[in-house]
Amino acid sequence: MDLERIHDFAWRIPKHGKMRVDGIVYASKKMLGDIISDESFNQVINVACLPGIVGASLAMPDIHWGYGFAIGGVAAFDENAGIISPGGVGYDINCGVRLLRTELEAKDIKGKKREIVNQLFRDIPTGVGSHHKNFTLGPDDLRHVLKDGAQWAVKHGFGDEGDLEHIEAGGHILGADPEAVSDRAKNRGKDQLGTLGSGNHFVEVQEVVEIYDDWAANIMGLFKGQTVVMIHTGSRGLGHQICEDHIELMLAASRRYHRRKANIILRRWPRARTSHLQTVK
């Protein structure tokens, strides 16, 4: 199959076979080789075959093997003829990325990177089965975490009131019902609050090397040469299990209503043994 070059950073997978739309991969030519050799490339094609898809099956530069629907894949579906794909919405509930700014400049930590990374490893529990050594949650505590979210963390000294102003919906969902969460999900999550996780979760100490929008950077307190920390975590066993539970319900409904199940066929992707704690520029 020949890829069609749209421009320096976009490539078209022409519609063929059962594909309903084209696939479009956003990447440099150097990155393209790794993407094509990864299973995620086939997942872009598979998504293009789903009922009701409109426009194109898109792949962002960070694309990698996901659950049927590639991580970094994007697609839109017609509200009447389309489907809902848990893999496209996001399998690990509440898993995301945050940027923590500091008042340090890159020059302030020059020569101290190894020391900083080692300290991060000591302070942040990482990897499969990790748990926070300073506290565990009882059943009542966990119910409050599920209901109040970040507000629970602030109330217990793990954040400031001002933090809630910078989180969507104040860090919790109105109407959240902890009783709708299975006991298995709760058991998987009760010891994991305050841990980083595994797989592609990471903490990176970074430097701001370029500003594209001075106004936005000023609002967010970012400046060139600043040291910041990028944190990718969330979900862990609890969020993963919640999604697993409800995918089973969707599969049952799919069989009951004779809907096509291609959208919720899951394919496991390999997880690393430990998370990544590193420094980048």
Side-chain angles (χ1 to χ4, degrees):
M1 181 186 60
D2 294 327
L3 284 175
E4 297 177 0
R5 185 172 184 168
I6 300 175
H7 56 68
D8 287 346
F9 301 102
W11 310 79
R12 178 182 288 108
I13 306 170
K15 183 172 65 173
H16 65 280
K18 295 183 179 180
M19 292 175 67
R20 300 168 185 261
V21 295
D22 294 336
I24 298 179
V25 179
Y26 292 93
S28 67
K29 187 175 182 179
K30 182 178 180 180
M31 296 170 62
L32 194 62
D34 289 334
I35 292 174
I36 291 176
S37 63
D38 187 74
E39 181 62 26
S40 60
F41 185 78
N42 289 327
Q43 291 182 326
V44 175
I45 297 173
N46 292 341
V47 169
C49 301
L50 294 177
I53 188 170
V54 297
S57 173
L58 307 174
M60 300 301 104
D62 66 335
I63 184 173
H64 54 283
W65 190 8
Y67 294 92
F69 202 111
I71 309 300
V74 178
F77 296 89
D78 181 86
E79 64 177 337
N80 295 313
I83 53 88
I84 297 174
S85 169
V89 174
Y91 198 99
D92 290 334
I93 296 173
N94 205 37
C95 183
V97 179
R98 292 281 175 180
L99 183 71
L100 177 67
R101 75 172 189 238
T102 78
E103 299 305 317
L104 297 172
E105 296 185 32
K107 62 183 181 181
D108 296 328
I109 64 171
K110 187 176 181 179
K112 301 178 181 178
K113 291 182 179 181
R114 182 177 296 275
E115 180 182 347
I116 290 172
V117 170
N118 287 339
Q119 190 62 49
L120 287 173
F121 266 114
R122 286 192 288 268
D123 291 343
I124 304 173
T126 66
V128 176
S130 60
H131 62 276
H132 201 290
K133 61 184 178 181
N134 292 331
F135 68 92
T136 55
L137 300 176
D140 288 339
D141 297 320
L142 188 56
R143 278 193 288 271
H144 286 298
V145 170
L146 294 173
K147 185 175 185 297
D148 301 328
Q151 295 183 3
W152 178 92
V154 169
K155 182 179 178 181
H156 288 79
F158 301 113
D160 299 321
E161 286 289 341
D163 295 335
L164 302 177
E165 299 174 6
H166 301 281
I167 306 175
E168 295 87 349
H172 79 294
I173 299 176
L174 291 175
D177 182 9
E179 301 309 315
V181 177
S182 70
D183 289 338
R184 184 178 182 189
K186 290 174 182 175
N187 286 332
R188 290 190 64 183
K190 65 185 177 62
D191 297 327
Q192 296 184 337
L193 199 67
T195 66
L196 183 62
S198 60
N200 62 341
H201 290 159
F202 64 82
V203 168
E204 290 181 350
V205 180
Q206 304 176 342
E207 176 187 356
V208 178
V209 296
E210 192 168 353
I211 300 291
Y212 295 97
D213 188 327
D214 291 329
W215 178 83
N218 184 60
I219 292 294
M220 292 184 284
L222 300 175
F223 56 88
K224 197 170 182 178
Q226 182 181 19
T227 296
V228 295
V229 182
M230 184 76 77
I231 305 169
H232 175 202
T233 187
S235 175
R236 301 283 345 249
L238 184 140
H240 190 281
Q241 188 61 48
I242 290 173
C243 191
E244 188 82 39
D245 293 340
H246 287 82
I247 282 177
E248 290 301 319
L249 294 176
M250 292 182 72
L251 282 168
S254 177
R255 289 188 290 268
R256 188 163 60 249
Y257 295 110
H258 306 290
R259 301 294 185 186
R260 291 189 61 181
K261 294 180 288 185
N263 58 306
I264 43 182
I265 293 174
L266 304 180
R267 181 172 292 171
R268 302 292 182 184
W269 61 288
R271 292 181 178 272
R273 289 179 178 270
T274 61
S275 302
H276 306 290
L277 292 170
Q278 57 185 329
T279 59
V280 299
K281 181 174 180 179

